[in-house]
Amino acid sequence: MKLRDLRTGWRLLARQPWQSAIELLGLATGFAVCFLLLGFARYSFSYDHDVPDRERVYLVKHRLNFIPQPQWMEYTPFALREVALRSGLPLDVSAWWPRQAVAQLQGLPRQVDVTLVDPAFERIAGLRAVEGDLQQALTLPDGVAVTRQAARQLFGNAAASALGRTLDINGQTVQVRAVLPDRPANSTLQFTLLAGVGSAMWPARERRDALANWMGIGGRIYVRTGPGVQAAALQQVLQDVIDRAPWGNIATPEMAATLGQRKMVDIALGPLSEAYFDRSVAGTMGTGPRGDRRLVLALAGAGVAILLFAALTYVNLAAMRVVRRQREIAMRRVLGATTGQLLTQFMIESVLLSTAAAAAGVLLAWLLAPVASDLLAWPPAGLWTPASVALVLALAAFGVYAMAAASVQRRGREIVLRKLHGAGRAAIAALVAREFLLLTGVAALLGVPLALLAVQRYLAPFAERAPLAGWAPLVALALAGGIVALAAARHAVVALRMAPVAVLRD
């Protein structure tokens, strides 16, 4: 490949600006949609990745079987925290007790959210202070830790000097003893102000009653198991103790009859690595946003399918471009050009256009990012890293080039040979009729699964009343896939009938 070949390829693409623009726009759109949807899938499957050894971190869940519609809940009686601490197993255990408090800021009261945790939470969540000492913030009664964002909100432009500043919260003067980095958006451990369970911001009696309560469900309990500790061992310990808890005192004969052989309360340990996709707790008290693994995979599959169809359409159009240049091919052959030289020229054109389309696709994805963020409730800011953009450009350009190379080489050789043997324009055009009609039918139906997936977003509020709504994405894709297959088969049959017999012999 020489620089002269690149210049020639660029001039040939510019000679047909409308076709080149259509090919570039179609391929760039496929890149952009696939880039965004795969970025959303990567974001969803990366929840809580900032937690070291998150496979060893568990959330204690419980289910009340004596209520009419039992459902797992993340908020658990805090009395189980003490049970886990005394289990004899090597564990780190922490309560997660979110509370609303009143802070005096510039003489005005303002509600703030404070999360009370045990000092072990630093090890469980793998937190590292940007400034100060987090252990002091969680152990001293007047200590508090703030995120950078909370520091900016509380102290304004003086956020850089938040360490050591004091706050009046619930009538108590507390001091910022640690500044933490802002929490990632894809984390189920969200907080702004962090304090220890022994904080002076709440009366000691209220704290003791909450942490020893078997009936209340004011927060979560996180556990980080030591090396070699099986989660099932701790779950059994917790289940044995709660079976002896005073739940039975509130059981009526009707409840006992309804329970049958089931326990009053079931205990389970949910891995933090699966917390975001844990649909069993969706919609319960204190549970944040939860994703649907099936929906995320369906969207990722739709993105890959769109890019694949866009690439196939581009390959088909590239082959048609070769058909239109049959006179040029014949003339260059007469002037001494070899088949390899002609095919190399076609490949250079494919490289130029596919690389330009990949770059345009990344730019188009950036322009469409606000729309994707609104539709998917996803902050795509972390998608635009130099590594991810470079990887997409390299893989996209190489992948489309490889597909175009295979097609153009095959079609180019046939066209060169048939033109030299006197094949007519209609016979040569039939070489690509099958792919063109097939892809036309497929492209016309690409919007079906996407439209149904968009509609499913608006069905989410009715998911509890219509449990099958969660299957809408897969049902949509299955129906659309069947329609696409039938339409593609029909177009292929029509194209085969249209192809001349001389061409079909190949």
Side-chain angles (χ1 to χ4, degrees), residues 48-57 124 224-225 272:
D48 296 311
H49 260 273
D50 62 307
V51 178
D53 297 327
R54 63 175 186 152
E55 294 78 12
R56 292 167 49 196
V57 178
I124 293 174
R224 185 176 186 269
T225 60
L272 183 64

Side-chain angles (χ1 to χ4, degrees), residues 78 94-98 115-117 121 189-191 218-220 222:
F78 278 137
S94 175
W96 171 280
W97 189 16
T115 302
L116 305 181
V117 295
F121 187 73
L189 303 173
Q190 296 293 340
F191 57 83
R220 309 171 188 163
Y222 287 100

Side-chain angles (χ1 to χ4, degrees), residues 334-389:
V334 170
L335 294 176
T338 65
T339 301
Q341 290 174 331
L342 293 174
L343 295 180
T344 300
Q345 186 62 53
F346 299 148
M347 293 303 99
I348 292 173
E349 295 173 22
S350 296
V351 169
L352 289 174
L353 198 142
S354 61
T355 304
V362 173
L363 177 61
L364 182 60
W366 180 72
L367 295 175
L368 294 175
V371 178
S373 176
D374 181 61
L375 290 176
L376 300 174
W378 157 54
L383 187 61
W384 312 106
T385 62
S388 64
V389 172

Side-chain angles (χ1 to χ4, degrees), residues 45-64:
F45 282 97
S46 299
Y47 257 77
D48 296 311
H49 260 273
D50 62 307
V51 178
D53 297 327
R54 63 175 186 152
E55 294 78 12
R56 292 167 49 196
V57 178
Y58 296 89
L59 181 62
V60 179
K61 304 188 299 182
H62 84 292
R63 182 175 60 192
L64 306 177

Side-chain angles (χ1 to χ4, degrees), residues 316-317 320 432-441:
N316 176 74
L317 293 175
M320 291 182 66
V432 294
R434 286 167 294 182
E435 287 82 356
F436 178 75
L437 291 176
L438 184 145
L439 291 175
T440 300

